[in-house]
């Protein structure tokens, strides 16, 4: 009579732990928790932080662009000096 009284088993439990880590998401969650209570809110602080971050990024980009440009200028200067002193 197992048709009328089936033995039901419990569903399997999975111990799932995600391995993906997103540092930007962590920062976002931390900022959201900090400002969720509203106690530490300073008007314009988030905007100022964003501007500072953007300025820092722009400075890093400029520094990366300067290195190849400096090398090109030095090579052209060396080529001009070699031409001026040895070829003429």
């Amino acid at each position: 009579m197992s048709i009328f009284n089936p033995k039901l088993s419990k569903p399997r439990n999975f111990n799932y732990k995600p391995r993906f880590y997103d540092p930007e998401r962590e920062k976002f969650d931390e900022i959201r928790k900090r400002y969720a209570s509203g106690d530490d809110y300073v008007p314009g602080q988030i905007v100022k932080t964003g501007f500072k971050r953007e300025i820092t990024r722009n400075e890093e980009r400029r520094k990366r662009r300067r290195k190849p440009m400096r090398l090109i200028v030095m090579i052209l200067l060396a080529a001009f000096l070699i031409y001026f002193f040895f070829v003429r």
Side-chain angles (χ1 to χ4, degrees), residues 13-78:
N13 292 330
F14 295 99
N15 188 12
Y16 175 72
K17 295 179 184 175
R19 293 183 179 204
F20 179 74
Y21 174 71
D22 188 7
E24 291 182 14
R25 178 66 185 202
E26 286 287 325
K27 289 178 186 177
F28 175 75
D29 289 339
E30 183 179 315
I31 291 170
R32 185 172 41 169
K33 286 179 186 176
R34 189 178 338 146
Y35 292 110
S37 64
D39 297 336
D40 298 331
Y41 177 70
V42 177
Q45 182 177 6
I46 297 173
V47 175
K48 289 178 187 176
T49 307
F51 284 139
K52 288 179 184 177
R53 188 179 312 129
E54 195 63 33
I55 288 171
T56 305
R57 285 182 191 163
N58 288 339
E59 288 175 358
E60 290 174 359
R61 289 177 187 159
R62 285 186 198 136
K63 287 179 183 177
R64 282 188 235 141
R65 288 181 189 161
R66 287 181 192 165
K67 290 180 182 179
M69 186 61 83
R70 181 185 289 178
L71 181 64
I72 291 170
V73 169
M74 293 178 92
I75 290 172
L76 290 175
L77 182 64

